[in-house]
Amino acid sequence: MKIGFPRALYYFDYFPFWSGFFHSLDIELVISPPTHREIMNQGLKKASDETCLPLKILAGHIQALEDVDYIFLPRMVSVEADTYTCPKFLGIPESVLPAVPEGQSVLTVTLNWRNSKRQVLKDLEVLTEQLGKSKAEIRQAFNKGMEWQKKYQNSMGAEWDFEDSLNKIESASWDSTESSKSSAPLTWKERMISIIPLTSDKAEKQNLPVGEKSDRLRIALVGHSYLTHESYANLNLLRKLHEKVDVELVQNVRQEDIEGHLSGLRKKIFWSHSKQIFGAGNKYAQDQRVDGIIYLTCFGCGTDSIIQELVSRKAREKHKPYMLITLDEHSGEAGLVTRLEAFLDMVERRRGHEGYVSTYGECLDSDSNAL
Ligand code: SF4
């Protein structure tokens, strides 16, 4: 049996869980190729106009999956206690069904961690019939998925790197095929290189004597993983940044640090991704080593309309240079490069004139900073 897994949205955060799960069941996963123009165009044709860019990309990846028995579209309601995923995650699979080719079967299951582990297992057991596996095998697969997801999450921290982390999962003898036409299966590194080229600054960083500050600017890029690591949609923003500055990501912040930077809000943030983004953004706003923050969002993102505003206020409070980049399917590379260069020039100048902060807008800020 071959199961198609779209390389979009939940792929970037939860693929280790599902790959461990299906690996344990001895089921082959076929992953759609990295996003390209055709995938984007197909997605735009099938997704609803009002939805967000990542959902449109998901719709394109669904159509890029060929020769599979099922396309896997899980409904991920909640991935940890006391939080939910975004409402648009909850709407999957129904919201993207128009993108499923006629006659193609869909495999879906609900994952809700707000329920007990027992209930989660029970929900997964609905797969027994379609996959032809026993309940015991599903339980075993769940444990394997949890183990791989934990490894992936534990690998996050200061030196975290997306492709390195997935390479480690591969070393756990995961075997899958690419849905591209290539006959030889690609290694994780080969697959990921088209998403994020190896970071030149990483090697430089490693050669620096301990405690020595790099001359390069340090910029935090915060936003959903499926935007920051989706190089086609973000016009290679991450690569462009890596070429010019040292980059910090949401995944470079340890979970304890995220939790520590959530305090002080009047209300708890109940979307799991947004919690991570706000915690990391708040930390970077206070971190003296970080010279500026770029918040990457997309049109149509409901949760970011709130979280972006909160992070921008934190940055303003700390007089941290801050830029918002909003992507959509029409974003142009020239515009992005111009804004990026202008922002980095401004941050550079600011670093050269440390201590001088314009008083413009301070009265405004004092009122608007109350969260
Ligand atoms: S959090 Fe925003 S970008 Fe992500 S699925 Fe929801 S609306 Fe779309």
Side-chain angles (χ1 to χ4, degrees), residues 112-282:
N112 185 356
W113 272 109
R114 291 177 69 92
N115 295 329
S116 62
K117 182 180 167 188
R118 205 172 173 178
Q119 184 59 43
V120 173
L121 277 167
K122 212 165 177 196
D123 290 341
L124 286 171
E125 279 169 10
V126 299
L127 296 174
T128 50
E129 208 175 301
Q130 277 158 302
L131 300 180
K133 303 286 175 186
S134 67
K135 287 182 182 176
E137 284 173 311
I138 296 284
R139 271 197 293 276
Q140 210 177 337
F142 169 80
N143 290 335
K144 179 59 86 186
M146 291 303 288
E147 188 194 311
W148 288 22
Q149 184 70 23
K150 216 175 216 162
K151 274 190 197 157
Y152 179 67
Q153 277 168 349
N154 287 344
S155 72
M156 291 182 184
E159 289 296 319
W160 183 83
D161 185 276
F162 187 47
E163 80 258 30
D164 278 358
S165 183
L166 289 178
N167 272 330
K168 280 180 196 139
I169 294 169
E170 183 189 36
S171 67
S173 79
W174 177 67
D175 181 28
S176 87
T177 52
E178 187 77 14
S179 67
S180 65
K181 305 294 170 221
S182 148
S183 52
L186 299 173
T187 65
W188 263 114
K189 191 160 265 181
E190 286 165 331
R191 281 187 206 119
M192 288 304 142
I193 212 142
S194 51
I195 298 182
I196 311 164
L198 287 178
T199 56
S200 57
D201 69 322
K202 206 177 164 197
E204 279 176 34
K205 251 194 274 170
Q206 283 163 356
N207 290 336
L208 278 175
V210 180
E212 193 165 310
K213 198 173 186 278
S214 161
D215 280 345
R216 286 159 67 92
L217 292 176
R218 186 173 289 269
I219 300 293
L221 177 67
V222 296
H224 295 285
S225 54
Y226 41 81
L227 286 175
T228 55
H229 289 89
E230 171 49 80
S231 60
Y232 182 84
N234 70 25
L235 309 160
N236 281 315
L237 175 63
L238 195 50
R239 186 208 300 187
K240 289 186 175 83
L241 274 174
H242 274 306
E243 281 165 5
K244 294 173 188 290
V245 298
D246 290 344
V247 184
E248 297 286 348
L249 298 164
V250 171
Q251 293 86 353
N252 296 135
V253 185
R254 286 256 162 226
Q255 199 50 40
E256 313 82 74
D257 242 353
I258 298 262
E259 297 293 336
H261 285 86
L262 293 174
S263 55
L265 287 172
R266 286 193 194 161
K267 275 188 171 183
K268 276 207 237 169
I269 298 174
F270 48 82
W271 305 295
S272 31
H273 281 165
S274 302
K275 240 175 77 179
Q276 303 292 323
I277 295 169
F278 176 78
N282 190 9

Side-chain angles (χ1 to χ4, degrees), residues 52 54-55 86 88-89 224 226 298 300-303:
C52 60
L55 259 286
C86 146
K88 286 183 184 140
F89 261 73
H224 295 285
Y226 41 81
C298 59
C301 179
T303 62

